[in-house]
Amino acid sequence: GAEDPGGGMTAYIEHLKPFLRKTPFHPRIEALMHGNSWMRWTGHYSPANFESVQSEYFTIRNGASVYDISPLIKYTIRGREAAAYVNHLITRDLSKIKPMQAFYTSWCQDDGMLVEEGTIFRLGENDFLLNAAKDQLHWLEQTAYGFDVEIAEASNDLCGLSLQGPESRHVLRAMGLNGIDNLKRFGIQELELNGHWLRIDRAGFTGDLGYEIWCKPESALWLWDRMFDAGRDHKIAPIGAQALEISRIEAGFLLVDVDYTSALHALRPSNRMSPYELGIGWTVNLNKPGYFVGKRALKKEKEQGLSRHVLIGIEIEGRKPAPGSFLYADQPGKVELGLTTSATWSSTLKKNIAYARVPQAYAKPGTEMWIEIWYGKEHKIERSMVRCWAANRMFYDPPRKSA
């Protein structure tokens, strides 16, 4: 173990040192952590949980939860033909989206297979910000060939907190953000508070009333402190990814690498999926003028019924969560239908829910199927074959989300 004169040992130790980056909110998050429950998110430290996943989950549904969304990859798209380019990239019709509005969409390869789905912010006529989970600068630049447009990664220029839950609006009011009552769902607002620039959008990953508050990195600790001071009477608490995951599944939102593999990263071509197969065909507008990437293939898939399966919601008998479980048409398990992706027990709905890839013929809500669940039970693994039923994937959709 002695250090050799050549410095070999030093080099060896060097590559063992932690190399994950800390977001601008890291000092506040670390101070509230009970155990070192960190996970990796785009090369950053991100909290998996603070202490109790269950209490963090109930904060989302009953209070005001705070989650650091700074690690999201962010791309700015600007220039004379930025709007024309974005409309060429995405499957939705951009002409329906006004400046200072956010919108959910998908973008595909030319064969109609999904690159990713996510939120794009239209900040001006030709000024956009795209939030992504995977690196895709090279793909964006490729698809922008011939357009007068500038695309740049801006991940480090902005940091943000997702404030979600029924009390979230009260917290923003208490912070002194006047006019927050007028912000409609997917609306965007920019303002200054105590000399700090803020951008607020009414969106999130929980399917509840919620907002995302973005600031410059140098304002991060001020924003955190201001928010937690204002939220003292509104059940404010920080949450980690594990609690967020339960609310995401209840809300019906997709997660890349869990529910699908990006077409840019799939090792097997058969693992790639189209928006129709993922149950987000509503984001595809085949009637919008001009061509968009994947239009021909998606038109053909829809007209000729070429989708191999569709990702639906299912409700399962019992309370054993069923991720990665096979579905069958029959109880003996002779006719295999598909596989579950995301799955959880929903404490709010008191239901065992999951997403499953099934043939179109089994997608109608109420259709009965069978599911094989394997689960650990004190030193042994048990198998159960229980009934499940097709359901709308948006299991949880409270009126306050859009009120």
Side-chain angles (χ1 to χ4, degrees):
E3 189 169 324
D4 65 277
M9 189 63 183
T10 317
Y12 172 68
I13 295 294
E14 201 55 40
H15 89 273
L16 292 177
K17 285 182 180 168
F19 57 85
L20 291 183
R21 302 181 57 178
K22 296 174 177 178
T23 76
F25 298 106
H26 190 91
R28 296 294 184 269
I29 293 171
E30 192 173 35
L32 294 171
M33 275 244 179
H34 287 245
N36 251 337
S37 296
W38 297 104
M39 55 188 284
R40 183 184 294 201
W41 181 13
T42 63
H44 293 78
Y45 285 102
S46 180
N49 64 68
F50 285 81
E51 185 210 3
S52 154
V53 176
Q54 208 59 22
S55 71
E56 289 166 38
Y57 161 78
F58 282 116
T59 298
I60 301 171
R61 293 291 178 239
N62 300 294
S65 66
V66 179
Y67 183 66
D68 180 5
I69 48 174
S70 310
L72 273 169
I73 299 167
K74 301 172 269 294
Y75 298 106
T76 54
I77 302 169
R78 296 181 180 128
R80 196 170 56 86
E81 294 180 312
Y85 162 65
V86 170
N87 208 25
H88 168 76
L89 171 76
I90 64 171
T91 56
R92 280 185 80 174
D93 185 356
L94 184 65
S95 67
K96 307 236 181 345
I97 312 294
K98 298 181 183 70
M100 295 309 271
Q101 271 189 321
F103 62 101
Y104 174 80
T105 185
S106 44
W107 51 101
C108 300
Q109 287 189 319
D110 214 35
D111 60 2
M113 293 299 154
L114 190 73
V115 171
E116 213 179 296
E117 36 72 54
T119 311
I120 297 184
F121 301 87
R122 185 170 201 172
L123 303 169
E125 199 54 44
N126 281 300
D127 185 0
F128 299 86
L129 183 77
L130 182 150
N131 276 355
K134 305 288 251 182
D135 288 302
Q136 47 202 279
L137 188 57
H138 62 296
W139 167 250
L140 296 172
E141 285 172 342
Q142 243 177 317
T143 51
Y145 182 79
F147 286 92
D148 182 3
V149 63
E150 268 182 50
I151 301 168
E153 185 171 340
S155 301
N156 300 330
D157 303 346
L158 284 177
C159 57
L161 295 173
S162 181
L163 176 68
Q164 304 282 314
E167 296 284 312
S168 54
R169 190 180 291 157
H170 296 301
V171 175
L172 294 181
R173 275 194 209 126
M175 282 174 69
L177 297 173
N178 303 325
I180 199 65
D181 294 305
N182 306 324
L183 191 62
K184 298 220 167 12
R185 193 152 171 251
F186 288 115
I188 304 170
Q189 211 178 5
E190 289 187 1
L191 50 97
E192 243 188 46
L193 190 64
N194 298 109
H196 296 269
W197 173 88
L198 296 175
R199 178 186 292 147
I200 303 167
D201 64 77
R202 189 169 158 187
F205 213 41
T206 65
D208 217 309
L209 173 66
Y211 302 83
E212 293 171 336
I213 299 92
W214 303 92
C215 68
K216 302 270 168 58
E218 55 271 24
S219 300
L221 300 183
W222 166 84
L223 174 62
W224 181 282
D225 294 341
R226 179 82 187 225
M227 193 179 282
F228 275 80
D229 282 348
R232 203 166 292 176
D233 297 333
H234 301 288
K235 295 185 280 201
I236 197 167
I239 63 159
Q242 291 167 339
L244 179 66
E245 178 70 348
I246 302 169
S247 64
R248 168 190 81 80
I249 298 169
E250 290 175 336
F253 294 135
L254 301 172
L255 186 60
V256 66
D257 292 339
V258 176
D259 300 309
Y260 71 97
T261 305
S262 166
L264 301 180
H265 298 273
L267 298 177
R268 297 180 187 83
S270 61
N271 260 351
R272 303 175 315 142
M273 292 169 77
S274 77
Y276 293 120
E277 292 175 333
L278 274 164
I280 52 169
W282 63 270
T283 64
V284 180
N285 188 330
L286 295 170
N287 300 321
K288 73 174 180 176
Y291 185 71
F292 64 84
V293 186
K295 183 175 184 176
R296 274 182 225 102
L298 291 167
K299 192 170 191 291
K300 186 177 172 187
E301 180 184 346
K302 190 173 187 192
E303 286 171 357
Q304 298 180 19
L306 300 176
S307 304
R308 297 160 295 175
H309 42 66
V310 61
L311 190 74
I312 62 164
I314 58 169
E315 293 181 7
I316 306 163
E317 211 171 42
R319 50 192 169 82
K320 303 276 184 302
S325 300
F326 285 100
L327 282 89
Y328 299 93
D330 57 331
Q331 189 173 6
K334 297 275 188 283
V335 184
E336 190 184 301
L337 296 176
L339 191 70
T340 61
T341 56
S342 297
T344 189
W345 168 260
S346 164
S347 299
T348 299
L349 303 170
K350 303 289 182 283
K351 281 179 182 174
N352 190 7
I353 58 175
Y355 303 169
R357 285 177 207 157
V358 299
Q360 192 71 51
Y362 288 83
K364 191 167 177 257
T367 306
E368 186 177 287
M369 293 166 278
W370 291 84
I371 185 165
E372 180 183 38
I373 306 172
W374 293 86
Y375 56 95
K377 194 172 181 184
E378 271 194 306
H379 311 300
K380 61 175 179 173
I381 296 174
E382 296 215 345
R383 169 189 182 269
S384 69
M385 183 73 106
V386 297
R387 285 182 175 84
C388 63
W389 297 268
N392 179 346
R393 205 174 67 212
M394 201 187 284
F395 299 100
Y396 184 74
D397 187 22
R400 63 178 177 242
K401 178 170 83 176
S402 43

